[in-house]
Structure formats: C-alpha cells, structure tokens
Amino acid sequence: MKEDITASFIAQYKKTPDHCHFAPGRANIIGEHTDYNEGFVLPFALEKGIWFAGSVNNTSVISIKAKDTDEYTEIDLDTLQSQNDYSWAKYFIQVLLALPNKNIRGAEICFGGNLPIGAGISSSSAIACGFTYLLDKLNSLMLSPKELVDTAGLAEQNHGVKGGIMDPFCIFNGKKDKAILLDCRNDAAELLPLELKNHKFYLINTNVKHHLLDTDYNNRRKQCDLAVSYINQYIKPISALRDLQITNLIELQSKLDDDVFRIVSFVVQENNRVLLAKEALTNHNFTWLGTLMYESHDGLSQMYRVSCDELDWLVNYTFNHDHILGARMMGGGFGGCTINLVNGDLGEDFQEK
Ligand code: GLA
C-alpha cells in the first residue's frame, strides 16, 4: 500500500516524496457515544488505513491527488479555497484553518488506502489526522501529541460533525495488539493487551453508507448537552453525563421526560459497561465481554436510537451462532459496520450467508 501511494505520487509529480505516513482506521470494542459525554471508550487501531505522501515546494499552493478516486485539486494557501469541491478537500481545508499562525509551505501530496468510506471505521478522521501529521512533518511544526489530536479533532468538528476525541486519539496513539481504555474527560489512556486467545474480532459492513452530518448524530449530542443543563440546574450539580452513576438513575426517572431519560440512561449504562469490559478483557472472560457488547447494541438501538434495520438484522442474525459471543453496531451508527466477537473463525458458511 505504501508503495502504491509512493508510485502514484511519482506518477503525478515526477519526483519522489520526502515523507510518507500512515493513518489507521479505528474499531471500538465498546463505549459508543460516550466520548462527547466525557466518558470512557475502548477502541483499537486497525491495520487498514490511509497513506499520505508529500513534499514541500516553494509555491503557495497545496496540490493534492486522491489516488483511489483519481481526483486532483489545488488549495491556495492565501485564500484557503480549493479548485474543486471534493468532500475530502474540505477536511484538508479545515485542518489548515485549525492551524492558524503556522507558516505552512506549498506542497505536493498524494493519499489513498483501503478504508471503506462511511463504514463507521473513521475514514474521515484518518484523513484529518493523516493530513495534520503530514503537515507537521513537512513544515517542522513540532506539534505535541495533544496538539496533533486536537487539531485533527477541531478540523473534523468544523467540517460539521460534532464528534468527540475517540477517533483522532486512537488514530494517533493506537499500538499493535493493544486496545486503548481512554478517559475522554482528561485524555488519560491505558493500553490494554488485546490477548484474544482463540478469539477474533470481525467487522461486518452493512454497506449502508452514512455521512454522520446527514444523520441525527449532532442532534443526539445536543440532547445530551441539554440534559446536562437541566439536571445541573434542577436536580444535581454535574458538568457532563459522565458524572452520573447507575444509582442516580432511579431518582432521575421520575424527574426527566421519557425521551431524555432513555438517552441519559444509555450513556450512564454504556460508561459503566466500558469499565466492566476492561475487567472482562483483562481476565480473558470473553463470554462476559460478548454479553456486554450485546447489551451495548441493545441500548444503542432501543434507547439511544442510532442503529438502523440492517445493523439490527446483522446483530440479531448472530444470536443462533454459538461461536459468536457478542455483536453490536460500531461508531456513530445509522449504518456502517458491526463488530463481532467470535470464538475461533466466523466460518465460510456464515460469511457466504
Ligand atoms: C463517531 C464520532 C466519535 C464517537 C462515535 C460514537 O465515530 O466521530 O467521536 O462519538 O461516533 O461513539
């Protein structure tokens, strides 16, 4: 893959790139829609991802070739306008906007990889992170690890989806054979060994593509923020849903509208599940881990309502298969992949069906 991007760069610009970097996609074992509620997540980086090759030049233009779609555009660094209105080019512009007062030089860039788009495995974050990292190297910006994460995260937010920190943090900090237990309140991260014994995670793509901007994602986030203000003002001092415990839910039930209570309960329960999942994973209790994943899906589908028929169907379909210990929708929802915890292999028969 790296060779393909380098070759494509050479074909486009007739020279070899000075830098070539990889931005992985991410999977998430459990902890969905908890990051922007300052809660816990348990993601890991994938081997699939996006490569970025680049060299600086003495112009005030960044030329970008998207290898996979064979598209090309130029971004003028003085106006931050792109010649063509490709959706990926908007991420590049947002990254540049998130780096004000930095002396960014003109450059030639080529990128591409093997991450399916809109599948809930962070293809857009990989673009924002990969470009941020490449700019850092090309211009010797010496951004700190936190600045890298925050720059890519801000670019994504300004692109429109008010996501949390999980994706950029995982993309920049993922390590081979490790999951990251991340506390999204203070970015405290613990690397947990992914010792799966005979087990594997499988991602199954519904092929229902989504762009989170067209979904209820931002709305859900707004509903959480409104719930926090209400609870804080009338019930209990909190600054995020993360501050609530399972035991608080009894008191809240009679004081919140049903819809708000459903959303709040899901976030509180999901946070709790992440901490239990850490225990299950570190004790190699895969049956327990799988049960937590099924519970997570049930909450995302019935309480938080960010699933879709195809995701629900795929999860329900695993129920009659004893070697599948758990399954749930992954990422923002409304389409994309399920993540499945499988004892042994999924089997050709299952994959065929
Ligand atoms: C998207 C966002 C993340 C996170 C997940 C849901 O992937 O980018 O920040 O909120 O949805 O867990």
Side-chain angles (χ1 to χ4, degrees):
M1 193 46 78
K2 184 180 184 179
E3 293 71 30
D4 293 345
I5 297 303
T6 308
S8 184
F9 182 97
I10 295 170
Q12 180 73 27
Y13 302 113
K14 317 291 178 232
K15 60 182 191 183
T16 49
D18 292 339
H19 293 271
C20 195
H21 302 292
F22 178 67
R26 69 101 192 87
N28 187 21
I29 301 174
I30 200 162
E32 225 60 90
H33 291 269
T34 44
D35 59 353
Y36 54 80
N37 287 301
E38 298 186 19
F40 299 97
V41 292
L42 191 54
F44 59 89
L46 298 173
E47 282 168 347
K48 283 180 191 272
I50 305 180
W51 284 94
F52 289 78
S55 292
V56 279
N57 58 30
N58 289 323
T59 69
S60 58
V61 168
I62 295 193
S63 313
I64 309 164
K65 166 88 182 183
K67 175 187 173 291
D68 303 325
T69 49
D70 200 21
E71 292 166 333
Y72 173 85
T73 197
E74 292 180 0
I75 298 173
D76 183 327
L77 284 171
D78 296 325
T79 60
L80 291 187
Q81 299 289 324
S82 165
Q83 259 176 356
N84 294 300
D85 206 21
Y86 301 126
S87 66
W88 51 263
K90 293 183 187 151
Y91 285 104
F92 284 76
I93 291 173
Q94 288 304 338
V95 170
L96 290 164
L97 284 167
L99 288 170
N101 311 322
K102 301 282 182 198
N103 199 9
I104 307 290
R105 300 171 62 189
E108 284 112 5
I109 292 173
C110 176
F111 75 101
N114 54 6
L115 269 189
I117 307 290
I121 52 180
S122 268
S123 51
S124 42
S125 201
I127 289 181
C129 293
F131 183 49
T132 304
Y133 191 75
L134 184 67
L135 279 184
D136 182 62
K137 296 296 158 209
L138 290 176
N139 297 281
S140 306
L141 302 180
M142 317 282 271
L143 296 177
S144 68
K146 180 166 168 39
E147 285 172 322
L148 287 168
V149 170
D150 289 348
T151 302
L154 181 65
E156 272 198 277
Q157 293 220 347
N158 290 341
H159 188 277
V161 178
K162 307 293 175 203
I165 199 170
M166 168 167 71
D167 301 353
F169 192 94
C170 180
I171 289 170
F172 277 115
N173 295 287
K175 296 273 178 293
K176 189 167 166 49
D177 297 329
K178 301 276 195 266
I180 304 176
L181 176 69
L182 175 65
D183 181 341
C184 300
R185 167 156 278 174
N186 53 17
D187 299 358
E190 198 181 333
L191 286 177
L192 305 179
L194 265 179
E195 286 163 352
L196 297 177
K197 309 282 178 188
N198 193 31
H199 301 74
K200 288 179 187 157
F201 285 114
Y202 279 83
L203 304 185
I204 306 181
N205 195 349
T206 57
N207 286 311
V208 177
K209 291 198 194 325
H210 66 274
H211 189 294
L212 287 178
L213 201 48
D214 307 323
T215 69
D216 238 4
Y217 182 96
N218 284 348
N219 193 27
R220 223 36 110 250
R221 181 167 189 163
K222 209 181 295 164
Q223 287 170 298
C224 289
D225 293 345
L226 288 174
V228 170
S229 314
Y230 182 84
I231 295 168
N232 186 46
Q233 195 172 351
Y234 298 109
I235 307 175
K236 180 179 169 44
I238 58 167
S239 61
L241 292 184
R242 142 74 176 278
D243 295 316
L244 296 169
Q245 307 298 324
I246 298 272
T247 45
N248 297 129
L249 293 178
I250 302 162
E251 177 197 0
L252 288 176
Q253 184 154 25
S254 57
K255 298 186 175 156
L256 298 177
D257 284 351
D258 285 354
D259 277 1
V260 181
F261 181 69
R262 258 194 306 103
I263 284 175
V264 169
S265 304
F266 166 75
V267 174
V268 175
Q269 290 168 358
E270 182 76 352
N271 254 332
N272 195 49
R273 277 191 285 268
V274 180
L275 300 177
L276 297 176
K278 174 195 168 179
E279 295 305 311
L281 185 64
T282 44
N283 291 307
H284 305 126
N285 189 335
F286 298 106
T287 308
W288 185 19
L289 183 59
T291 304
L292 292 166
M293 290 170 67
Y294 276 132
E295 286 174 7
S296 168
H297 183 79
D298 197 49
L300 286 158
S301 176
Q302 304 301 317
M303 298 165 79
Y304 211 66
R305 300 192 182 164
V306 290
S307 185
C308 64
D309 289 347
E310 293 84 349
L311 285 166
D312 290 346
W313 188 90
L314 271 181
V315 170
N316 291 342
Y317 186 68
T318 65
F319 288 162
N320 320 328
H321 296 80
D322 290 345
H323 65 310
I324 304 183
L325 305 181
R328 57 176 211 85
M329 55 148 273
M330 197 183 74
F334 309 100
C337 290
T338 60
I339 178 167
N340 301 259
L341 177 59
V342 179
N343 185 358
D345 291 309
L346 202 48
E348 272 182 25
D349 188 42
F350 183 99
Q351 296 192 37
E352 182 66 25
K353 277 182 183 143

